[in-house]
């Protein structure tokens, strides 16, 4: 049985482990698996991330770790959950956006009928690095007729300039991160 006492957010964040040279040389990957595996740490992170944003009717989580965080935030806030998936994984008609990563390129998709036009959405991901993934997520929500109220990420790698990139392109969207490294 796991104790139900609240974990300090600093202790929870300390469970994130850096993995050098993954997925390729020169990248310092931030592995949140130990945090997710610890019930009190995971609960505290979701509570803290939820407190950073005003509730939206829907949360859009970016595959893969944004699914985990986003669906938990949606549950906590009583919001619907929308999947922003890698290409070819969603049934029915989709919108698609390509984006650059710190270590390559990829593509995200959203179902064209994911929500009603005019729906207010918060986009969630685990890491804000260059901002490319979040930019694609914002554009997809807009392609499907949504209004992006906010972005929330577990952590920001400030040296990669993602915050500035997103602020330049989307100055009207609030950006929140739990921890900056």
């Amino acid at each position: 049985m796991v104790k139900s006492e609240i974990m300090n957010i600093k202790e929870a964040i300390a469970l994130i482990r850096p993995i050098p040279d993954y997925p390729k040389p020169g990248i310092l990957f931030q592995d949140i698996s130990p945090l997710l595996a610890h019930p009190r740490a995971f609960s505290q992170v979701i509570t803290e991330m939820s407190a950073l944003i005003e509730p939206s009717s829907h949360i859009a989580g970016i595959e893969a770790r944004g699914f985990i965080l986003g669906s938990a935030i949606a549950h906590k806030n009583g919001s619907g959950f929308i999947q922003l998936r890698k290409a070819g994984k969603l049934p029915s008609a989709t919108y698609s956006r390509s984006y650059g990563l710190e270590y390559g390129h990829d593509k995200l998709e959203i179902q064209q009928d994911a929500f009603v036009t005019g729906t207010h959405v918060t986009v969630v991901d685990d890491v804000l690095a260059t901002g490319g993934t979040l930019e694609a997520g914002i554009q997809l929500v807009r392609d499907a007729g949504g209004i992006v109220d906010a972005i929330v990420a577990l952590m920001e790698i400030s040296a990669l300039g993602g915050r500035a990139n997103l602020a330049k392109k989307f100055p009207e969207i609030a950006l929140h991160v739990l921890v900056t490294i």
Side-chain angles (χ1 to χ4, degrees), residues 63-176:
E63 187 171 351
R65 298 181 304 173
F67 280 8
I68 299 164
L69 299 169
S71 61
I73 291 168
H75 176 74
K76 183 165 187 65
N77 289 349
S79 303
F81 181 74
I82 300 161
Q83 302 171 73
L84 299 174
R85 300 238 26 209
K86 302 281 171 77
K89 294 188 176 186
L90 290 170
S92 74
T94 61
Y95 295 110
S96 180
R97 291 280 179 158
S98 296
Y99 61 96
L101 295 159
E102 180 185 5
Y103 48 84
H105 290 83
D106 214 336
K107 188 181 283 190
L108 283 178
E109 294 182 338
I110 189 171
Q111 290 172 308
Q112 290 181 5
D113 62 354
F115 49 81
V116 174
T117 298
T119 295
H120 289 265
V121 178
T122 296
V123 179
V124 176
D125 206 2
D126 61 325
V127 177
L128 166 57
T130 65
T133 309
L134 284 162
E135 179 182 349
I138 292 165
Q139 294 294 6
L140 285 170
V141 169
R142 288 179 171 181
D143 290 346
I147 300 163
V148 178
D149 293 325
I151 303 162
V152 64
L154 172 60
M155 70 186 96
E156 174 182 0
I157 302 171
S158 61
L160 297 176
R163 178 178 292 272
N165 292 338
L166 291 172
K168 183 177 178 180
K169 293 175 183 172
F170 310 104
E172 74 285 3
I173 299 176
L175 171 61
H176 308 280

